[in-house]
């Protein structure tokens, strides 16, 4: 645990202040922060509709302030560099800037100031748009490779839509839409503009082994192989903070791990398909009775209990939990520490949930119902539209239904002179002169994209 002195340096304060002034300042900041989130949580869950609307208004205003401050800071970074050294806007961004100017009615000077370009540059963009329409402004140099230029545009557009996914995930998403690219090809196309980020790893696979110890905590590790849907389940809990951390400048140096500072999320996951069978939000650490109620809901949803149920060594998984497992005929098991494919499967899901949903929200809702709506929307996207690397590119829903991986379906061939192999998976490929990206979202949430391809007009 870090010392109190090291924690004091986490908030920038004038160095000329003495120790007691620094301590008083930090205590005041901590108290104000705590009071802010207590009041915010009360307003979000108030039975008075006006208080709820006022809380939602304050949250929206705070989100707007965060966005404006973020844009201001990014603009300062561009202003610090000479105009000749600033990165150029890609063709798609130029079109978006002109469309935004037309929609807002900004002057040429105002638009140039906001996006750190010169008015002459905007005039050149407008002239090219008037003379050659969109094709002139969006013209890309012909790449020296086997794929046409629009394939590179599609890859980069998808990277901007979902910036957290790596080359393997982009290849799987495009394969689901009919365009088959190798992960190395995706990496090469992305590297032309920016370094290719390391894709997030994954553990295990459909039907993989789930190392676990026996329910009695024996040291001998026995492999539990998930052979079919709902054969092996994983159950675990995680914390979803409603604040940027729990640290405060007084003993015990952290806020309570309960509402309004965080929610507890319990998830029951099918190891075979990686699908979420049941989930629930709790305001504080759930009890054994609440854990058993969650498992009962999962059993009803699946229509059958699992044969094996893997958990960690939390306090919820003791006498009452063991009695529930015995009553329904489930074999409780403990996840093997340090072994991949065990509780690591559900831990990896929690990481994806926090990176792809929680981190993309400006402010985490303090209302359980609103946060539940965000989680429900994410699970819809996760089950039906997000290809899973551990499932060979299938989604959890497709795995449950015995679907065919995207790379074994009929594909679209964008290369005009590339020979069509009759023995390829999914039958003879279809020729595609030019494709464009069509990106929908789940319930209007831009961080949950639904990607499709269509022939360009």
């Amino acid at each position: 645990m870090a010392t109190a002195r090291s924690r004091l340096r986490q908030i920038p304060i004038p160095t000329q202040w003495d120790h007691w002034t620094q301590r008083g300042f930090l205590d005041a900041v901590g108290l104000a922060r705590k009071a802010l989130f207590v009041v915010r949580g009360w307003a979000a869950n108030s039975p008075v509709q006006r208080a709820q609307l006022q809380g939602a208004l304050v949250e929206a205003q705070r989100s707007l302030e965060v966005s404006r401050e973020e844009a201001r800071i990014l603009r300062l970074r561009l202003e610090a560099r000479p105009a000749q050294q600033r990165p150029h806007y890609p063709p798609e961004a130029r079109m978006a800037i002109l469309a935004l100017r037309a929609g807002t009615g900004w002057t040429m000077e105002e638009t140039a100031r906001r996006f750190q370009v010169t008015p002459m540059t905007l005039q050149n963009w407008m002239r090219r748009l008037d003379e050659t329409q969109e094709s002139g402004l969006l013209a890309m140099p012909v790449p020296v490779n086997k794929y046409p230029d629009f394939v590179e545009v599609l890859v980069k557009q998808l990277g901007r839509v979902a910036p957290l996914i790596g080359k393997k995930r982009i290849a799987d998403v495009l394969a689901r839409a009919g365009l088959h690219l190798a992960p190395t090809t995706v990496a090469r196309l992305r590297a032309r503009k920016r370094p290719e980020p390391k894709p997030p790893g994954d553990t295990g696979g459909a039907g993989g082994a789930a190392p676990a110890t026996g329910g009695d905590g024996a040291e001998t590790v026995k492999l539990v192989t998930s052979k079919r849907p709902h054969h092996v389940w994983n159950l675990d809990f995680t914390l979803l903070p409603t604040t940027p951390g729990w640290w405060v400048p007084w003993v015990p140096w952290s806020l309570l791990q309960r509402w309004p500072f965080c929610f507890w999320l319990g998830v029951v996951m099918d190891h075979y398909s990686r699908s979420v069978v049941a989930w629930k939000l709790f305001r504080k650490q759930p009890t054994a009775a609440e854990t058993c109620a969650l498992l009962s809901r999962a059993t009803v949803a699946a229509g059958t209990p699992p044969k094996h149920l893997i958990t960690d060594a939390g306090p919820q998984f003791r006498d009452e939990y063991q009695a529930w497992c015995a009553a329904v005929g489930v074999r409780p098991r403990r996840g093997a520490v340090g072994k991949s494919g065990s509780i690591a499967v559900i831990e990896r899901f929690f990481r994806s949930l926090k990176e792809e949903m929680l981190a993309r929200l400006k402010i985490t809702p303090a209302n359980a119902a609103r946060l539940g709506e965000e989680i429900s929307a994410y699970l819809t996207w996760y089950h039906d539209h997000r290809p899973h690397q551990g499932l060979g590119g299938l989604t959890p829903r497709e795995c449950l239904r015995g679907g065919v991986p995207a790379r074994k379906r009929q594909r679209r061939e964008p290369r005009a002179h590339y020979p069509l192999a009759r023995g390829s998976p999914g039958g003879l490929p279809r020729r595609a002169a030019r494709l464009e990206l069509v990106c929908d979202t789940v319930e209007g949430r831009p961080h949950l994209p639904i990607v499709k391809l269509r022939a360009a007009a």
Side-chain angles (χ1 to χ4, degrees):
M1 180 180 293
T3 63
R5 185 175 298 276
S6 64
R7 287 192 173 93
L8 290 175
R9 293 193 292 269
Q10 295 184 11
I11 299 179
I13 55 180
T15 56
Q16 65 270 22
W17 287 3
D18 59 44
H19 172 74
W20 295 110
T21 304
Q22 294 178 1
R23 293 291 302 181
F25 174 77
L26 291 174
D27 288 344
V29 170
L31 285 171
R33 181 165 168 258
K34 181 177 180 181
L36 172 65
F37 284 99
V38 170
V39 173
R40 176 182 160 216
W42 170 85
N45 295 272
S46 173
V48 182
Q49 185 177 7
R50 183 173 182 179
Q52 293 182 6
L53 293 176
Q54 184 64 28
L57 176 61
V58 172
E59 185 173 322
Q61 291 174 341
R62 174 59 180 163
S63 178
L64 179 61
E65 292 175 0
V66 170
S67 299
R68 287 176 173 173
E69 183 66 11
E70 179 181 353
R72 186 187 69 84
I73 294 172
L74 292 175
R75 194 178 296 116
L76 288 176
R77 184 176 183 181
L78 283 176
E79 292 175 353
R81 303 185 62 179
Q84 296 79 4
Q85 298 180 7
R86 293 171 189 165
H88 296 285
Y89 286 106
E92 300 86 355
R94 299 174 187 176
M95 178 63 71
I97 291 173
L98 295 181
L100 184 61
R101 174 179 178 266
T104 57
W106 290 337
T107 64
M108 196 76 72
E109 290 73 15
E110 176 68 12
T111 307
R113 182 190 66 82
R114 287 178 177 269
F115 295 99
Q116 293 300 303
V117 295
T118 62
M120 183 63 68
T121 299
L122 291 176
Q123 291 176 2
N124 291 336
W125 294 354
M126 293 292 295
R127 183 171 59 254
R128 291 178 59 185
L129 187 62
D130 292 337
E131 294 174 354
T132 59
Q133 303 300 319
E134 295 184 7
S135 59
L137 187 63
L138 297 177
M140 301 286 291
V142 179
V144 187
N145 59 20
K146 296 181 181 180
Y147 286 97
D149 55 355
F150 72 84
V151 176
E152 180 180 350
V153 176
L154 292 177
V155 171
K156 293 178 179 178
Q157 284 179 342
L158 186 54
R160 286 190 291 272
V161 170
L164 297 179
I165 64 177
K167 59 181 181 181
K168 182 66 166 61
R169 182 70 53 75
I170 288 180
D172 288 340
V173 169
L174 291 177
R176 288 175 54 79
L179 180 59
H180 293 196
L181 298 177
T184 53
T185 302
V186 173
R188 185 176 68 251
L189 295 177
R190 295 181 73 183
R192 291 181 178 176
K193 179 116 182 136
R194 56 182 179 271
E196 195 272 322
K198 187 176 181 181
D202 205 348
T203 56
T213 62
D216 56 356
E219 291 296 331
T220 303
V221 176
K222 298 180 181 179
L223 296 181
V224 178
T225 302
S226 181
K227 301 178 181 179
R228 60 185 181 276
H230 305 302
H231 180 218
V232 178
W233 282 359
N234 296 82
L235 169 61
D236 200 3
F237 299 94
T238 189
L239 293 171
L240 302 180
T242 59
T243 67
W246 290 279
W247 180 82
V248 290
W250 59 73
V251 176
W253 312 115
S254 66
L255 300 172
L256 297 177
Q257 292 185 349
R258 57 170 300 162
W259 185 87
F261 310 112
C262 71
F263 286 99
W264 286 76
L265 173 64
V267 170
V268 180
M269 172 171 283
D270 175 36
H271 187 95
Y272 182 89
S273 63
R274 306 298 197 268
S275 61
V276 175
V277 186
W279 63 275
K280 184 175 177 59
L281 282 174
F282 303 92
R283 291 195 173 192
K284 59 182 180 179
Q285 186 174 13
T287 63
E290 292 173 327
T291 301
C292 294
L294 175 61
L295 287 171
S296 298
R297 285 179 49 199
T299 302
V300 172
T304 179
K307 184 175 181 180
H308 302 279
L309 182 56
I310 302 175
T311 66
D312 57 16
Q316 301 89 356
F317 310 118
R318 294 177 184 171
D319 298 339
E320 191 171 349
Y321 164 78
Q322 298 287 338
W324 183 92
C325 291
V328 298
V330 175
R331 298 180 183 178
R333 306 181 71 88
R334 298 287 173 81
V337 178
K339 299 292 184 179
S340 62
S342 179
I343 59 174
V345 171
I346 195 168
E347 292 291 348
R348 183 62 179 85
F349 167 77
F350 286 148
R351 172 183 163 187
S352 299
L353 174 76
K354 293 176 181 179
E355 289 181 348
E356 298 170 348
M357 186 272 290
L358 195 66
R360 304 296 296 275
L361 301 176
K362 293 292 184 181
I363 298 179
T364 305
N367 184 288
R370 291 189 57 195
L371 182 58
E373 292 175 359
E374 296 292 342
I375 297 175
S376 296
Y378 175 81
L379 289 179
T380 299
W381 178 73
Y382 173 84
H383 283 141
D384 296 329
H385 306 288
R386 179 186 184 273
H388 202 295
Q389 297 180 24
L391 303 178
L394 290 174
T395 65
R397 195 87 67 192
E398 290 172 340
C399 183
L400 283 175
R401 298 171 180 171
V404 179
R407 294 189 176 276
K408 293 185 179 180
R409 307 173 195 164
Q410 187 184 38
R411 65 184 178 89
R412 298 179 177 182
E413 179 51 65
R415 294 166 288 187
H417 304 291
Y418 194 81
L420 302 181
R422 295 186 178 275
S424 60
L428 194 66
R430 292 178 291 167
R431 291 288 187 187
R434 183 178 178 85
L435 300 172
E436 62 182 13
L437 191 69
V438 180
C439 188
D440 198 1
T441 60
V442 176
E443 301 177 7
R445 291 169 170 83
H447 58 279
L448 304 178
I450 303 174
V451 176
K452 297 179 182 179
L453 296 177
R454 69 182 178 191

